[in-house]
Amino acid sequence: LDAALSDPNRPAADMARDANRKPGETVPFAGIKPGMKVADLIPGGGYFTRIFSKAVGPRGKVYAYVPDELSKLAKREPAVNAVAKDPAYSNVRVLLSTLPRFTTPEKLDVVFTAQNYHDMHADFMGPVDVAAVNRQIYNSLKPGGLYIVIDHSARPGSGLEAVNSFHRIDPAIVRREVEAAGFIFDGQGHFLRDPKDKMNVSVFDKSIRGETDQFVYRFRKPGRARR
């Protein structure tokens, strides 16, 4: 993990974000180890993709899954393509398809998504069939595989009302939806919580940008892991 975080190929802008995104706590919580097969769902510019690539090592694989719903809106090449083209990250492969058709060439140890689960409910993404997405993720994992969801917190009981306006989601909604797909809730990390966030503005507001309260949920597919 130390080598992954100090990787000289990481952009300086990514390293500057480490203090807020806390990859040193996130990667161990997600159970990512050498040799694993991992999917980075909605990877953006590849902040975690690069870290995962070094964390799983040459025997592992990282699938950066870019949804068609998003790439068609952007009307440009996915930013994470630059990571996959970099020889320093030769174990990264970009996958393009719709969210409800999520699938990978092999069974996975971990599916990871950070700060984007709420987007699946947003108007600009469709919204998509989230239940179908979670079922596909479940089917793509090995028995005992993990599904990690990190997102910006909305006020408890607010449901989906903050998705479009504030780009936040009630953690209870996420837990209910993921468990409905057959997953078992396996714990939560508190290292991204921030009591200063009143959850009453958009995550892009200058007063809170990069310092939002975030929940970190880990779900497990039933069965015994074979690694």
Side-chain angles (χ1 to χ4, degrees), residues 59-213:
R59 294 185 296 108
K61 191 77 177 179
V62 179
Y63 295 99
Y65 194 96
V66 180
D68 282 343
E69 294 92 342
L70 193 58
S71 60
K72 289 176 180 177
L73 285 172
K75 296 181 180 179
R76 57 179 167 79
E77 180 182 7
V80 76
N81 277 4
V83 180
K85 293 175 181 177
D86 188 334
Y89 304 103
S90 59
N91 60 352
V92 172
R93 177 179 172 185
V94 176
L95 301 177
L96 295 168
S97 191
T98 65
L99 281 164
R101 293 177 60 190
F102 177 90
T103 187
T104 51
E106 58 188 321
K107 291 291 186 179
L108 304 170
D109 296 289
V110 178
V111 174
F112 177 95
T113 188
Q115 301 180 341
N116 288 298
Y117 188 99
H118 71 274
D119 285 331
M120 293 194 286
H121 284 287
D123 291 343
F124 78 91
M125 288 280 272
V128 302
D129 185 342
V130 179
V133 176
N134 287 331
R135 286 195 300 270
Q136 287 296 102
I137 290 171
Y138 182 95
N139 292 335
S140 296
L141 283 163
K142 300 175 184 177
L146 299 177
Y147 181 18
I148 309 298
V149 179
I150 301 175
D151 214 335
H152 306 284
S153 304
R155 288 175 172 172
S158 61
L160 298 173
E161 67 182 32
V163 165
N164 291 301
S165 55
F166 294 163
H167 297 274
R168 301 172 179 268
I169 191 167
D170 183 348
I173 292 287
V174 175
R175 181 168 176 176
R176 183 163 66 244
E177 291 179 344
V178 175
E179 288 181 330
F183 285 97
I184 298 168
F185 185 69
D186 193 55
Q188 59 184 309
H190 297 281
F191 46 86
L192 292 177
R193 302 307 304 267
D194 192 335
K196 298 189 298 296
D197 182 6
K198 304 305 180 185
M199 308 180 197
N200 60 351
V201 295
S202 166
V203 301
F204 300 113
D205 189 281
K206 289 189 294 185
S207 67
I208 201 69
R209 185 80 184 264
E211 298 179 351
T212 57
D213 181 87

Side-chain angles (χ1 to χ4, degrees), residues 11 14 17 40 42-50 78-83:
D14 278 12
R17 299 169 70 194
D40 189 3
I42 315 181
Y47 173 88
F48 275 111
T49 309
R50 289 184 175 93
V80 76
N81 277 4
V83 180

